[in-house]
Amino acid sequence: PTLESEGFRAPAYPLGSPYSVVIRFLLVPDAASARMVRREVATLGASMGVVVGTMRELIDLAFESCLIVPPVDDWGDAVLTAAKGIPDAFWAKSIEIAPQETVLHLSRTLAMLLRAAGPDRGIDSPGDGLLPRRASDHLSDFTRLHEAMGGKLPPDLMAISHILKTEVSDWARGISVYQKEGFPMLSPWEQALINKMGISGKETALQDTIERSFTCQLHQEQNNALGFLKKQLFETNGERVSLDDSLLWIGVRDYLEETEIAAGMIQKALLEDTTLSPADIAILLPRDAGYRHSLDEVFQFAGLPLSGLPMDRQIRDLGREALLYFLMSRKRPAPAMVFASLLSSPLMPWPKDQGYQLAQKVMDGDFDLEPLEGFSVESRSMLSLIMTEPADLAKIPGELRLFVSLLPSSPEFEMHATRARETMSMILPLAKRGVEEAWKEMLRVSAPEEISRMENSQLYREGIAVFREHEEPWKRVRQLYVLGFTAGSYPSGTPVSPVFSETDLELMQVKCSLPVKTGRDTAAQWRDLFKRHISSASERVVFFIPRRDPFGKALAPSQTLPFMSSLFEGIEDPQDIIQDIDRADVRNSLEALPLADPSKPAPPRLLEVKDLFLECDLAGISKKDGETRPFSPSSIQTLMESPLAWLIVRMKIE
């Protein structure tokens, strides 16, 4: 930690004075690699003013140093407004049918072009014959779009532009950037920012640290298959070596069996090698979220500690949910379930039990609700607003503002209240139209979305490290277990532009001198990252290939498998390198695979099917006014389909 992380702020001395502070910033591509570099920096001893972070963190630090306020982000609105004002552009019809989706693609493509152009040039219309007609027209349309926006930049480029306009001599503290040459790859904007910050007299120890952290450890002293794979993967020199137990490709049923077998193999490896500890092992995960949950469950059951496992926690979109139910309740007659759902929402300004009490009254047909005991002024106002008969659509904007203002402001629900306010700002322009056709659009905009919050598990030094396919490895290990080695992973699939083809992008690089990133460039980056993952292990790498997805659909191995199989003698077909454990001979020959002791099968218990007799009159439950409640047609249907469901409804314990 530095003094800055403890709340200390350096005084603003003129840069170059003996009292000025120069921050030495070590630039890394992501948070995972920052973890590794910080560990390496700590081995150098105590130091002040050393920061390890990503480009985003560098920009934030620069804003603090030059004492300017970050710009407001209204990029999306600017793109939408300008795009609608160019009726003859190629996106004209699409923006009428699907405005949000169209603006999303336009924003991404325009940002990609501006990022490649750099701070010293704009998006120039291509000369005649440089690009195919379609690509040339599209690029010209983007030039007009950017001009219609007044030259506005996306948030990250706007931030860099503000910093580039300041004088370094006026900064409160200087920043000297350290990075491995060419890594991470920088856009012209990012390179211009670093050039502005660069200060001579860099420390050799810090530069050596960051160079060492991102240099693949090929372990050339190891004359085994793993060492050869690290050096020759994706190369085409035709050299081959014999395969040994430092590399394994194991075929399994699905991702659930995959995590169980990985846990068993790790347990056996730890049992047989007393010098091996969980900290010497790492697991590489694909992007599939299912692996994170199965890994967490299986490894907890196996008693294997995981370090840095990311978990996405699904969260109800309470803000939009409450807003949607409120809108639906303003158009009468509204279903009772709408009022019940709104009254029982956790965002209401009354306790949950009182919300359930009000909701139950509504479901029982009682819409004449009175404030309950202990209701606050906000609670009374909210209940009155919800149950008051709406006047007309013209009153909706005022009612929406009042509704959102009555939502709780506690830290627990701050995120949801913010989402409700943001959604209301999108609905208000529609509501002000005062036409019935806008009603469906308002309901569509306020529809709840899937929200997930990514949380990392605790980082234990003694735990099994968890790497992710799209992030840098953050430590060196002895054994690496690669899960989900299937098509579309290792490396990940390259994104496809909906506007420009791969050929168009390549011609822009060559003919227009515009360094846009092509699919080939992205694929090369993913391959290099995968090689760095493999290079993090010194003794063994095990690849797991699930044969089917959770729905039973057949899966193909990763596209990297043919490159791997071509490096080893005796392998004619890539599938020959995979050892499927559903074969008895494979199971018995794999020494690293733990096998359960044979046991006699136990027959299942005999199930006796007969009617359940509870010795009581079920129809007499929940009498009304002392008499048995009558059966409705839907109640009789439920009784015939599921007596248990009917009983639960009858007892009002849903």
Side-chain angles (χ1 to χ4, degrees):
T2 64
L3 290 180
E4 281 77 7
S5 66
E6 301 299 330
F8 176 83
R9 285 293 177 267
Y13 296 113
L15 191 61
S17 74
Y19 301 103
S20 65
V21 177
V22 175
I23 299 298
R24 291 158 292 171
F25 192 93
L26 277 63
L27 182 62
V28 296
D30 54 37
S33 56
R35 193 180 309 158
M36 176 178 62
V37 175
R38 290 191 188 103
R39 182 195 297 266
E40 295 289 337
V41 171
T43 62
L44 300 177
S47 59
M48 178 180 173
V50 177
V51 179
V52 181
T54 61
M55 179 57 67
R56 179 69 260 176
E57 292 167 311
L58 177 59
I59 293 174
D60 292 340
L61 186 61
F63 270 119
E64 291 182 11
S65 299
C66 59
L67 306 177
I68 59 177
V69 179
V72 178
D73 178 14
D74 56 351
W75 167 256
D77 294 337
V79 173
L80 176 60
T81 303
K84 287 184 175 180
I86 308 177
D88 59 337
F90 71 88
W91 59 74
K93 293 187 179 298
S94 299
I95 208 167
E96 293 179 1
I97 300 173
Q100 291 185 338
E101 294 81 358
T102 304
V103 169
L104 177 63
H105 290 302
L106 291 178
S107 300
R108 289 177 178 175
T109 306
L110 180 58
M112 179 263 295
L113 294 172
L114 291 171
R115 194 167 285 112
D120 299 327
R121 59 179 287 194
I123 306 176
D124 302 324
S125 297
D128 294 338
L130 292 179
L131 297 177
R133 179 63 181 272
R134 176 180 176 276
S136 180
D137 292 344
H138 286 185
L139 189 57
S140 298
D141 286 345
F142 276 110
T143 302
R144 291 194 295 158
L145 175 63
H146 194 224
E147 291 174 353
M149 295 170 60
K152 192 172 189 61
L153 297 171
D156 58 332
L157 303 188
M158 178 67 74
I160 296 177
S161 177
H162 277 60
I163 298 171
L164 293 177
K165 294 175 183 177
T166 63
E167 293 294 335
V168 176
S169 58
D170 297 332
W171 289 17
R173 54 190 175 186
I175 302 175
S176 179
V177 181
Y178 295 74
Q179 70 167 134
K180 185 177 184 293
E181 185 178 357
F183 186 83
M185 293 187 64
L186 302 176
S187 69
W189 284 88
E190 295 166 339
Q191 190 61 56
L193 176 63
I194 291 180
N195 293 341
K196 186 180 185 67
M197 296 178 178
I199 298 177
S200 59
K202 290 189 174 183
E203 297 182 23
T204 305
L206 289 178
Q207 188 63 37
D208 290 345
T209 298
I210 200 165
E211 293 279 352
R212 182 175 63 254
S213 299
F214 295 115
T215 300
C216 291
Q217 302 296 320
L218 298 180
H219 302 283
Q220 297 182 8
E221 70 278 3
Q222 291 182 283
N223 296 320
N224 58 10
L226 176 56
F228 187 76
L229 179 68
K230 295 175 184 178
K231 291 181 287 186
Q232 299 298 329
L233 183 59
F234 303 122
E235 303 294 336
T236 56
N237 57 11
E239 186 180 354
R240 291 193 176 207
V241 297
S242 58
L243 193 58
D244 54 41
D245 60 358
S246 64
L247 290 172
L248 288 175
W249 289 264
I250 299 178
V252 295
R253 182 192 68 228
D254 55 18
Y255 79 101
L256 294 174
E257 186 179 53
E258 187 177 1
T259 52
E260 293 174 357
I261 292 175
M265 293 181 68
I266 292 174
Q267 285 179 322
K268 185 176 182 180
L270 293 171
L271 184 64
E272 293 179 346
D273 188 351
T274 57
T275 66
L276 186 70
S277 68
D280 298 321
I281 300 171
I283 293 176
L284 179 57
L285 295 181
R287 293 176 181 265
D288 188 350
Y291 278 91
R292 299 195 288 267
H293 296 282
S294 64
L295 198 69
D296 181 46
E297 180 179 347
V298 171
F299 275 61
Q300 280 194 35
F301 181 78
L304 296 172
L306 294 173
S307 179
L309 175 66
M311 294 297 295
D312 51 339
R313 309 295 181 185
Q314 297 298 320
I315 305 172
R316 278 178 62 188
D317 193 356
L318 296 176
R320 284 197 169 192
E321 188 178 285
L323 205 60
L324 175 66
Y325 290 144
F326 177 72
L327 281 173
M328 295 175 68
S329 70
R330 306 318 290 160
K331 191 172 184 179
R332 306 292 171 84
M337 184 65 74
V338 169
F339 289 97
S341 300
L342 180 57
L343 293 167
S344 60
S345 170
L347 289 188
M348 293 297 101
W350 46 69
K352 286 184 179 180
D353 56 341
Q354 292 185 336
Y356 294 145
Q357 184 177 347
L358 293 171
Q360 189 59 53
K361 285 186 177 181
V362 170
M363 293 304 295
D364 291 339
D366 183 5
F367 286 84
D368 188 16
L369 301 181
E370 296 292 336
L372 301 179
E373 183 179 355
F375 259 31
S376 63
V377 176
E378 292 79 6
S379 300
R380 293 173 179 271
S381 299
M382 179 66 83
L383 183 62
S384 174
L385 174 63
I386 293 174
M387 304 311 299
T388 300
E389 191 76 20
D392 52 45
L393 190 59
K395 300 288 185 180
I396 288 292
E399 293 175 340
L400 281 173
R401 293 189 182 93
L402 178 59
F403 176 79
V404 172
S405 68
L406 294 174
L407 296 179
S409 57
S410 60
E412 181 183 2
F413 300 111
E414 181 179 359
M415 180 191 74
H416 300 289
T418 301
R419 283 187 63 82
R421 287 192 293 270
E422 293 174 348
T423 306
M424 181 193 68
S425 64
M426 295 188 292
I427 293 176
L428 287 180
L430 300 173
K432 290 178 180 178
R433 297 176 185 174
V435 294
E436 192 69 20
E437 290 75 12
W439 188 258
K440 291 183 179 180
E441 184 67 16
M442 292 164 59
L443 296 180
R444 187 189 68 81
V445 171
S446 59
E449 298 176 336
E450 291 186 3
I451 303 178
S452 62
R453 177 182 295 166
M454 188 64 68
E455 300 174 356
N456 283 334
S457 67
Q458 293 295 325
L459 294 171
Y460 303 106
R461 291 189 61 182
E462 298 79 9
I464 298 171
V466 178
F467 300 160
R468 291 198 279 179
E469 178 188 7
H470 59 286
E471 292 182 347
E472 295 288 334
W474 51 273
K475 67 183 298 188
R476 309 295 182 194
V477 294
R478 291 169 58 182
Q479 296 187 8
L480 176 66
Y481 294 80
V482 182
L483 305 187
F485 195 66
T486 56
S489 298
Y490 311 114
S492 298
T494 58
V496 178
S497 171
V499 179
F500 298 107
S501 67
E502 182 74 3
T503 304
D504 295 338
L505 296 176
E506 292 176 353
L507 288 174
M508 287 182 195
Q509 288 183 337
V510 178
K511 302 289 187 180
C512 304
S513 300
L514 193 63
V516 293
K517 183 181 290 186
T518 65
R520 183 177 300 177
D521 297 332
T522 304
Q525 290 183 7
W526 287 127
R527 286 182 175 183
D528 290 341
L529 175 59
F530 182 55
K531 289 186 69 172
R532 289 193 291 274
H533 277 126
I534 296 176
S535 298
S536 66
S538 61
E539 293 181 2
R540 168 180 284 178
V541 178
V542 181
F543 303 90
F544 290 95
I545 299 96
R547 294 302 195 180
R548 296 191 178 276
D549 68 5
F551 299 98
K553 181 181 177 181
L555 296 175
S558 170
Q559 293 90 336
T560 304
L561 186 67
F563 293 95
M564 293 177 165
S565 62
S566 65
L567 300 177
F568 303 108
E569 299 172 350
I571 306 297
E572 301 299 332
D573 186 277
Q575 293 288 343
D576 296 342
I577 209 172
I578 303 175
Q579 303 185 65
D580 287 286
I581 62 167
D582 58 356
R583 292 173 48 185
D585 58 332
V586 172
R587 289 197 302 270
N588 295 327
S589 63
L590 280 176
E591 296 182 0
L593 187 68
L595 297 178
D597 295 331
S599 60
K600 294 182 179 180
R605 65 185 178 90
L606 184 63
L607 298 179
E608 183 180 359
V609 181
K610 62 179 182 180
D611 290 335
L612 182 65
F613 182 50
L614 300 181
E615 301 182 0
C616 68
D617 180 14
L618 298 181
I621 294 177
S622 302
K623 292 185 178 181
K624 189 173 184 179
D625 299 330
E627 296 184 0
T628 301
R629 292 173 57 189
F631 286 79
S632 66
S634 61
S635 176
I636 295 176
Q637 180 180 359
T638 303
L639 178 61
M640 291 188 296
E641 293 177 350
S642 173
L644 176 62
W646 174 86
L647 179 62
I648 290 174
V649 173
R650 193 77 172 182
M651 296 178 68
K652 297 183 179 181
I653 58 174
E654 300 95 322

